[in-house]
Amino acid sequence: MATEVKLIALDPAHFHAALVQKEMLPGIARRSYIYAPLGQDLYEHLKRIEGFNTRAGHPTDWELDIHTTNDPLRRMCTERPGNVVVIAGHSGNKMDRIRASLDAGLNVLADKPWIIHASQLPALEAVLDLADRSGLVAYDIMTERYEPTNIIQRDLVNDPAVFGTTIAGTESDPGVTIESVHHLLKLVAGQPNLRPAFFFDASDDQGTALADVGTHLLDLVQWTLFPDRSIHTQELKVGAIRRWPTEMTLAEFQRVTALPAFPARLAPIVKQDRLQFDGNGEVHYQIRGINVRLSALWHYQSPNGIDLQHAVYRGTKARVDVRQGEKEKYVPEVYVVPNGSENRAAVTQAVEAHLRKAQGQYAGIAYEKQGEELHITIPDRHRIGHEAHFAQVLSHFLTYLGSPTSMPAWEKANMIAKYTVSTTGV
């Protein structure tokens, strides 16, 4: 890459902004910039960067140029000390910040969700068009594409000898089922990982579960079913939608935020002394005629502190699942389930052939029979963890930065497609 990349963190109000800098990649300047109001969000961001710089193993060496201001967007666009803006947190005004950054000639790497209401879809299309016209890159942080179990599931679904073709299913018995369960209270070294009050403002700031976490799930479905192909809005049909709250007592809210009381901005969602967080949603939709049931859930606390994801793709020859339950010790695992005894031998043979070809990417990958199912065994060295995926996203982003025209057309089309479903599902 001809030009050194200089990162700017704009009002980093979510820990994902720091995770982009968990590793130092070639081509990225040591000095990075922060524009933010003076407050708790900035303090937490600085603590995370300091932790990366002072860790025992492979510490980073970031130098931070910090600008505290009550109008970080205006000042950043005026001064423009870098060329890549990292945006995470405050989803309600995220589109305005992305647009202003592009107008200032800055590339954008932004966390999901970019938009939380269907009325913002024209603005999304406009910023993607602006990036194209300006020779800039605007890219969202889809970390789940780098999770090995998702990659392996995708490859198996697209192997006709293993999977066959996708069963369309019905709304009540869909061809694809995908669910994510996140948790509000997470303990780090025995202490709660605090959430800002705005996180619970689903209507104006954070977005509902479908508008927020749902974007990852929607991205995975279209990325898995139709790899490297554009999905257009006319190929989507949104059906039944269901939403329900996660309730919190004041004591529970205090524990997860360290705030003494429910703030005034959240008063509309406090009913009978309980906060009604709009944290659970389910949408049924069709993508190119295939029925999908998608659920994004927020529970208060996990007994083991782990977020969970489950995905089932039904094919004419076999089903391919990712499961993360008690049997799997809450680690995601891939299973191939042949459709009936008459398919078992052929599917098993096809899985063996598939895994032989996969050795180049995942050396040591194999399978074991568990009753009528085939469990794909993935060596631990390939499981690098969620936080490490941010460096992988950044590395991929850098390839587009070096050649903006190399970004495939399906990336833009599929951004619009997934946000169409996520916001219509709200």
Side-chain angles (χ1 to χ4, degrees):
M1 196 178 308
T3 305
E4 188 176 41
V5 175
K6 297 179 180 179
L7 299 176
I8 308 170
L10 175 62
D11 192 9
H14 192 285
F15 71 94
H16 285 177
L19 290 179
V20 171
Q21 294 183 250
K22 189 175 181 182
E23 306 293 339
M24 302 187 80
L25 300 183
I28 298 181
R30 203 174 142 207
R31 177 173 289 266
S32 66
Y33 304 84
I34 303 172
Y35 286 80
L38 185 62
Q40 188 68 26
D41 289 338
L42 174 59
Y43 174 64
E44 294 296 330
H45 181 77
L46 295 177
K47 280 202 306 183
R48 293 182 184 107
I49 300 296
E50 179 194 21
F52 302 155
N53 276 352
T54 58
R55 68 191 177 207
H58 305 290
T60 54
D61 189 28
W62 298 109
E63 292 180 355
L64 301 181
D65 192 329
I66 305 165
H67 302 258
T68 59
T69 168
N70 290 329
D71 192 356
L73 178 62
R74 182 194 62 79
R75 186 170 171 187
M76 179 201 73
C77 289
T78 300
E79 298 178 359
R80 291 180 297 173
N83 50 11
V84 173
V85 183
V86 177
I87 303 175
H90 294 297
S91 303
N93 63 3
K94 192 175 289 177
M95 186 51 57
D96 294 336
R97 295 179 169 198
I98 293 171
R99 175 69 194 231
S101 299
L102 292 170
D103 281 336
L106 300 168
N107 300 282
V108 175
L109 181 62
D111 196 30
K112 55 79 189 161
W114 284 28
I115 62 174
I116 59 176
H117 299 296
S119 61
Q120 298 171 303
L121 281 165
L124 172 64
E125 295 190 50
V127 301
L128 296 175
D129 288 342
L130 173 61
D132 283 347
R133 292 195 308 271
S134 306
L136 297 168
V137 179
Y139 197 60
D140 64 344
I141 302 175
M142 289 287 103
T143 50
E144 290 300 318
R145 295 184 190 178
Y146 299 86
E147 165 57 42
T149 51
N150 294 333
I151 295 170
I152 293 163
Q153 182 179 49
R154 179 197 201 210
D155 291 345
L156 288 165
V157 165
N158 286 281
D159 186 335
V162 174
F163 186 70
T165 57
T166 309
I167 294 172
T170 62
E171 188 168 273
S172 60
D173 187 23
V176 177
T177 303
I178 187 166
E179 176 183 278
S180 172
V181 183
H182 280 60
H183 300 89
L184 297 171
L185 179 63
K186 293 180 180 176
L187 301 179
V188 179
Q191 297 299 315
N193 185 27
L194 299 180
R195 296 187 182 276
F198 77 77
F199 176 86
F200 300 96
D201 186 356
S203 61
D204 294 326
D205 206 325
Q206 178 68 17
T208 67
L210 286 175
D212 179 18
V213 177
T215 59
H216 274 308
L217 306 183
L218 289 159
D219 186 76
L220 282 178
V221 170
Q222 56 198 28
W223 177 79
T224 300
L225 289 177
F226 306 104
D228 304 330
R229 283 177 278 173
S230 294
I231 303 297
H232 302 289
T233 54
Q234 60 266 32
E235 298 175 301
L236 302 167
K237 181 180 178 182
V238 178
I241 300 162
R242 187 166 67 100
R243 289 165 59 186
W244 65 100
T246 298
E247 292 190 350
M248 274 175 285
T249 64
L250 177 57
E252 289 171 331
F253 181 80
Q254 289 171 333
R255 192 174 182 209
V256 81
T257 63
L259 297 174
F262 296 127
R265 69 180 293 178
L266 299 181
I269 59 171
V270 177
K271 311 290 183 185
Q272 297 180 332
D273 297 324
R274 287 176 173 265
L275 186 77
Q276 308 285 315
F277 171 53
D278 195 351
N280 305 286
E282 180 179 276
V283 60
H284 296 253
Y285 73 102
Q286 289 182 3
I287 177 170
R288 291 187 176 177
I290 297 170
N291 284 276
V292 180
R293 180 172 68 242
L294 183 150
S295 305
L297 313 175
W298 280 95
H299 295 171
Y300 180 70
Q301 183 177 9
S302 165
N304 48 42
I306 298 173
D307 293 333
L308 305 173
Q309 190 161 298
H310 307 276
V312 176
Y313 289 80
R314 295 169 56 212
T316 52
K317 293 182 179 178
R319 200 179 78 223
V320 181
D321 299 356
V322 167
R323 305 177 201 158
Q324 196 178 354
E326 185 177 359
K327 176 186 173 185
E328 291 76 33
K329 298 180 181 177
Y330 304 104
V331 174
E333 299 286 356
V334 181
Y335 296 85
V336 177
V337 186
N339 294 341
S341 56
E342 67 279 6
N343 276 333
R344 195 170 302 134
V347 168
T348 301
Q349 188 175 21
V351 167
E352 291 173 352
H354 182 98
L355 296 182
R356 281 196 297 271
K357 295 177 184 177
Q359 295 299 319
Q361 185 174 10
Y362 294 113
I365 191 171
Y367 77 94
E368 61 182 9
K369 292 184 178 180
Q370 294 186 355
E372 298 180 355
E373 302 180 341
L374 306 178
H375 170 222
I376 308 302
T377 57
I378 307 167
D380 288 344
R381 64 182 176 275
H382 299 306
R383 298 179 183 267
I384 62 174
H386 172 66
E387 292 189 2
H389 297 325
F390 285 83
Q392 292 175 303
V393 173
L394 179 57
S395 178
H396 198 81
F397 171 78
L398 294 179
T399 65
Y400 291 151
L401 205 61
S403 175
T405 57
S406 68
M407 183 183 291
W410 63 262
E411 286 279 18
K412 177 179 175 181
N414 292 3
M415 275 274 284
I416 295 167
K418 75 184 174 193
Y419 280 112
T420 296
V421 178
S422 70
T423 57
T424 304
V426 172

